Amino acid sequence: MILEIYKDAFGYALKDGSTLLKLGVLSLFSFLIIPFIFLLGYEYRIIKTATEGMINGNETLPEFNNYTTMFKDGLKVLAVSIIYVLISVVIFLLLFFIGLTTNMESIIVLAFIALIILTIISLIFSALAVTHMAANNGSINAAFHIRELKDIMQSIGVLKLVGSYFGIFLISAVISFVVYVFVFAVVGILGFAVSYVYVDIVPAFIWALSIIADLVVALVVWPYLNIFSCRSYGLIYNLRE
């Protein structure tokens, strides 16, 4: 079933090239924060569409409209994500402070171990919380109903949920890595070939190709993987009984 979800999500992300490009523009300028919030808002729409649909359904990518609502949804997603991550940070800082004041290195080491484990847990809960919020008409309170989230995890299966989320991360990481390796291999080969003729322009040439490669990745690969991930989250959520 999980593999079917991944397959559906891969195909879903290719349904509309223009939408993929729009998402890519938001991704490219996400460092400006405002575009990043709109990006989160649109990803929220993808998740919501998935929770209302089914595997191999006929759902299309959400429209880019109602920008005020999109921005508000993005803010809610950002707030939920920050709050869940802050829980890990606070616990880490408490343990780290105790370790420093008591001069116990073991507690400091424990703090870093706890930070890693709690961050993973918080990211899982954060993704599930945002999906649960989307399935409950955008109620931000639903994102913090821990008992409901726990029941959903148990209904789907804790190992299945965690494993499927890890699969999403692994697939995205592998695809990103392969694309980067391929792009820089091409850049390296072209730079090596040009060096025989135009030695003086090689550094600038490679630098320009690297920028172009980064733009291609930001405009196409990352948006595609974002759609894939969000679609997968929504469909996995529907596996609950």
Side-chain angles (χ1 to χ4, degrees):
M1 183 64 71
I2 300 300
L3 293 179
E4 283 295 315
I5 288 176
Y6 293 161
K7 180 181 177 181
D8 173 283
F10 275 126
Y12 180 79
L14 293 174
K15 283 192 173 184
D16 190 340
S18 62
T19 298
L20 186 64
L21 182 59
K22 292 176 184 177
L23 201 62
V25 173
L26 289 178
S27 176
L28 183 63
F29 293 98
S30 60
F31 65 93
L32 297 175
I33 301 179
I34 299 299
F36 178 65
I37 295 175
F38 277 110
L39 177 65
L40 292 178
Y42 186 78
E43 291 178 351
Y44 171 86
R45 290 185 179 182
I46 297 174
I47 294 174
K48 183 174 178 60
T49 300
T51 61
E52 296 171 349
M54 61 182 66
I55 301 175
N56 299 322
N58 296 319
E59 297 88 18
T60 58
L61 284 165
E63 295 289 336
F64 268 90
N65 55 18
N66 298 324
Y67 296 108
T68 301
T69 301
M70 186 189 297
F71 189 78
K72 291 179 179 178
D73 290 338
L75 283 176
K76 288 193 290 187
V77 172
L78 182 61
V80 170
S81 302
I82 289 176
I83 290 173
Y84 273 100
V85 172
L86 275 178
I87 295 174
S88 302
V89 174
V90 169
I91 295 176
F92 163 74
L93 291 176
L94 285 174
L95 289 174
F96 188 77
F97 178 76
I98 292 173
L100 285 179
T101 54
T102 58
N103 199 27
M104 295 181 63
E105 293 183 358
S106 59
I107 296 181
I108 295 177
V109 172
L110 177 62
F112 282 100
I113 295 175
L115 177 63
I116 296 173
I117 296 175
L118 291 174
T119 297
I120 294 174
I121 294 174
S122 66
L123 290 175
I124 292 173
F125 266 94
S126 176
L128 182 59
V130 170
T131 308
H132 190 50
M133 178 174 66
N136 285 274
N137 299 316
S139 171
I140 198 167
N141 291 330
F144 299 103
H145 285 164
I146 303 301
R147 181 173 296 179
E148 291 182 8
L149 296 178
K150 180 182 176 182
D151 290 342
I152 292 170
M153 290 184 69
Q154 291 177 339
S155 177
I156 296 173
V158 176
L159 291 179
K160 180 185 290 187
L161 180 73
V162 174
S164 60
Y165 278 15
F166 178 75
I168 294 170
F169 168 78
L170 184 61
I171 290 171
S172 299
V174 169
I175 291 176
S176 297
F177 176 76
V178 169
V179 170
Y180 268 108
V181 169
F182 174 78
V183 168
F184 282 104
V186 171
V187 170
I189 292 172
L190 290 176
F192 181 75
V194 172
S195 67
Y196 281 99
V197 182
Y198 302 105
V199 177
D200 294 336
I201 69 168
V202 169
F205 181 74
I206 295 178
W207 180 75
L209 285 178
S210 298
I211 292 178
I212 293 173
D214 288 339
L215 287 175
V216 171
V217 170
L219 286 171
V220 180
V221 178
W222 290 342
Y224 177 81
L225 292 176
N226 285 341
I227 295 174
F228 161 76
S229 299
C230 293
R231 174 72 175 176
S232 297
Y233 289 141
L235 294 179
I236 291 169
Y237 179 85
N238 290 341
L239 296 178
R240 70 194 190 286
E241 297 177 357

